[in-house]
Amino acid sequence: MTVIETETISCPACRIKQETTIFQTINAMEDPELVQTLMQGEINLFRCAGCGHEAQIYSPLLYNDYRIGLKIQFYPEHVLNENPEAVCSDYLAMLKQLEKLKKDFSPFMPGLENQEGLLVVFSMGEMVNQIKFRTKLFEVEGDVAVG
């Protein structure tokens, strides 16, 4: 499930406050259009309605594509530097949650049984590169299996 929250943010350039959409989770199977938005660097991007200033919002983001068995958690580097214990704790909790999800819902969610684990990255660029690579790998493996 894609999870979105709305936060009020002050523009760093002009200080005008505005509500901004922040994605916490993207489910590629439910919202495939968001995958392209992520690839273009448009997810969690603040755009000031007053002055036009743009800034990336560095907030944790979980990406799920059960079709290809991919789950990636992005943490901004500053979160790891400021509270590494919390990052490790979150990671371990997500692994437990994934195992429970696989046990309970694999018959109802195609591809879930292929989920191998959780990849953690600390840059959005690496998240995008992993999605591109894993998607292409899935396509190539499918071609090999068919051919």
Side-chain angles (χ1 to χ4, degrees):
M1 170 170 83
T2 295
V3 179
I4 303 167
E5 70 176 19
T6 302
E7 277 190 32
T8 301
I9 297 178
S10 295
C11 176
C14 70
R15 302 287 181 227
I16 291 177
K17 289 185 180 184
Q18 71 181 45
E19 288 195 351
T20 302
T21 300
I22 299 175
F23 289 85
Q24 295 177 334
T25 304
I26 294 174
N27 183 314
M29 291 175 63
E30 289 178 5
D31 298 298
E33 71 283 356
L34 289 178
V35 177
Q36 193 58 36
T37 305
L38 174 64
M39 296 298 176
Q40 295 169 345
E42 301 289 318
I43 293 288
N44 295 344
L45 184 66
F46 172 82
R47 285 189 182 93
C48 181
C51 71
H53 179 77
E54 291 186 355
Q56 189 70 44
I57 300 169
Y58 291 102
S59 179
L61 176 64
L62 179 64
Y63 177 89
N64 289 310
D65 188 341
Y66 293 120
R67 178 183 61 89
I68 65 173
L70 180 60
K71 187 173 188 122
I72 303 175
Q73 175 66 53
F74 161 71
Y75 289 103
E77 189 175 352
H78 75 270
V79 173
L80 177 65
N81 292 335
E82 292 168 8
N83 198 346
E85 293 82 9
V87 171
C88 292
S89 205
D90 285 352
Y91 173 77
L92 294 172
M94 283 189 276
L95 285 179
K96 283 183 185 176
Q97 185 180 39
L98 178 59
E99 286 308 311
K100 181 171 177 13
L101 187 68
K102 285 169 68 172
K103 180 182 171 201
D104 295 344
F105 294 100
S106 281
F108 312 108
M109 295 177 69
L112 183 59
E113 70 280 356
N114 299 329
Q115 185 69 50
E116 294 180 13
L118 174 65
L119 181 62
V120 176
V121 296
F122 298 96
S123 80
M124 287 299 287
E126 180 61 15
M127 176 179 254
V128 167
N129 287 335
Q130 284 291 337
I131 294 166
K132 287 178 184 176
F133 170 70
R134 301 294 177 104
T135 301
K136 182 51 90 178
L137 184 61
F138 179 77
E139 292 168 4
V140 168
E141 285 178 330
D143 288 344
V144 170
V146 171

Short mmCIF file of all heavy atoms in Angstrom, two decimals, residues 71-75 87 91 94 118-122 126:
data_model
loop_
_atom_site.label_atom_id
_atom_site.label_comp_id
_atom_site.label_asym_id
_atom_site.label_seq_id
_atom_site.Cartn_x
_atom_site.Cartn_y
_atom_site.Cartn_z
N LYS A 71 12.11 -5.05 -2.36
CA LYS A 71 11.70 -4.16 -1.27
C LYS A 71 12.96 -3.39 -0.87
O LYS A 71 13.96 -3.99 -0.49
CB LYS A 71 11.16 -4.98 -0.11
CG LYS A 71 10.56 -4.17 1.01
CD LYS A 71 9.91 -5.10 2.03
CE LYS A 71 9.14 -4.31 3.04
NZ LYS A 71 7.74 -4.70 3.08
N ILE A 72 12.89 -2.06 -1.01
CA ILE A 72 14.05 -1.20 -0.70
C ILE A 72 13.62 -0.13 0.29
O ILE A 72 12.62 0.55 0.09
CB ILE A 72 14.59 -0.48 -1.96
CG1 ILE A 72 14.97 -1.47 -3.05
CG2 ILE A 72 15.78 0.40 -1.61
CD1 ILE A 72 15.39 -0.81 -4.34
N GLN A 73 14.43 0.04 1.33
CA GLN A 73 14.20 1.10 2.31
C GLN A 73 15.30 2.15 2.14
O GLN A 73 16.47 1.83 2.24
CB GLN A 73 14.23 0.55 3.73
CG GLN A 73 14.13 1.62 4.81
CD GLN A 73 12.77 2.32 4.82
OE1 GLN A 73 11.74 1.69 4.88
NE2 GLN A 73 12.79 3.63 4.75
N PHE A 74 14.89 3.38 1.86
CA PHE A 74 15.82 4.51 1.81
C PHE A 74 15.78 5.22 3.15
O PHE A 74 14.71 5.53 3.67
CB PHE A 74 15.42 5.49 0.70
CG PHE A 74 16.03 6.86 0.86
CD1 PHE A 74 17.38 7.06 0.64
CD2 PHE A 74 15.25 7.94 1.25
CE1 PHE A 74 17.95 8.32 0.81
CE2 PHE A 74 15.80 9.20 1.41
CZ PHE A 74 17.16 9.39 1.19
N TYR A 75 16.96 5.44 3.70
CA TYR A 75 17.13 6.32 4.86
C TYR A 75 18.08 7.43 4.44
O TYR A 75 19.14 7.16 3.88
CB TYR A 75 17.78 5.60 6.05
CG TYR A 75 16.91 4.60 6.73
CD1 TYR A 75 17.10 3.24 6.51
CD2 TYR A 75 15.91 4.97 7.61
CE1 TYR A 75 16.32 2.29 7.15
CE2 TYR A 75 15.12 4.03 8.25
CZ TYR A 75 15.34 2.69 8.01
OH TYR A 75 14.55 1.76 8.63
N VAL A 87 17.89 3.01 13.07
CA VAL A 87 17.89 2.46 11.71
C VAL A 87 17.98 0.93 11.78
O VAL A 87 17.21 0.23 11.11
CB VAL A 87 19.04 3.04 10.87
CG1 VAL A 87 19.17 2.33 9.53
CG2 VAL A 87 18.84 4.54 10.65
N TYR A 91 15.08 -1.73 10.67
CA TYR A 91 15.41 -2.77 9.69
C TYR A 91 14.99 -4.15 10.20
O TYR A 91 14.33 -4.92 9.50
CB TYR A 91 16.91 -2.73 9.38
CG TYR A 91 17.38 -3.86 8.50
CD1 TYR A 91 17.14 -3.84 7.13
CD2 TYR A 91 18.07 -4.94 9.04
CE1 TYR A 91 17.57 -4.88 6.32
CE2 TYR A 91 18.51 -5.98 8.23
CZ TYR A 91 18.25 -5.94 6.88
OH TYR A 91 18.67 -6.97 6.07
N MET A 94 11.26 -4.53 10.23
CA MET A 94 10.72 -4.71 8.89
C MET A 94 10.95 -6.13 8.38
O MET A 94 10.09 -6.69 7.69
CB MET A 94 11.31 -3.68 7.93
CG MET A 94 10.69 -2.31 8.09
SD MET A 94 11.19 -1.16 6.79
CE MET A 94 12.75 -0.59 7.45
N LEU A 118 15.15 -7.38 2.44
CA LEU A 118 15.01 -5.93 2.40
C LEU A 118 16.36 -5.31 2.13
O LEU A 118 17.32 -5.56 2.86
CB LEU A 118 14.46 -5.44 3.75
CG LEU A 118 14.38 -3.95 3.97
CD1 LEU A 118 13.38 -3.31 3.01
CD2 LEU A 118 13.97 -3.65 5.40
N LEU A 119 16.42 -4.53 1.09
CA LEU A 119 17.64 -3.81 0.74
C LEU A 119 17.56 -2.42 1.35
O LEU A 119 16.53 -1.76 1.25
CB LEU A 119 17.76 -3.72 -0.78
CG LEU A 119 18.98 -3.03 -1.35
CD1 LEU A 119 20.25 -3.77 -0.95
CD2 LEU A 119 18.88 -2.97 -2.86
N VAL A 120 18.62 -1.98 2.01
CA VAL A 120 18.66 -0.65 2.61
C VAL A 120 19.68 0.19 1.85
O VAL A 120 20.79 -0.26 1.58
CB VAL A 120 19.05 -0.72 4.11
CG1 VAL A 120 19.18 0.68 4.71
CG2 VAL A 120 18.03 -1.53 4.90
N VAL A 121 19.26 1.41 1.49
CA VAL A 121 20.15 2.34 0.80
C VAL A 121 20.11 3.69 1.51
O VAL A 121 19.17 3.99 2.24
CB VAL A 121 19.76 2.51 -0.69
CG1 VAL A 121 19.93 1.20 -1.45
CG2 VAL A 121 18.35 3.04 -0.85
N PHE A 122 21.15 4.48 1.29
CA PHE A 122 21.27 5.77 1.97
C PHE A 122 21.35 6.95 1.01
O PHE A 122 21.73 8.05 1.39
CB PHE A 122 22.46 5.74 2.94
CG PHE A 122 22.28 4.70 4.00
CD1 PHE A 122 22.84 3.45 3.86
CD2 PHE A 122 21.50 4.96 5.11
CE1 PHE A 122 22.64 2.47 4.83
CE2 PHE A 122 21.29 4.00 6.08
CZ PHE A 122 21.86 2.75 5.93
N GLU A 126 20.89 5.75 -5.37
CA GLU A 126 21.11 4.31 -5.27
C GLU A 126 19.77 3.56 -5.30
O GLU A 126 19.66 2.49 -5.90
CB GLU A 126 21.89 3.96 -4.01
CG GLU A 126 22.16 2.48 -3.83
CD GLU A 126 22.99 1.83 -4.94
OE1 GLU A 126 23.63 2.55 -5.74
OE2 GLU A 126 22.99 0.59 -5.03
#
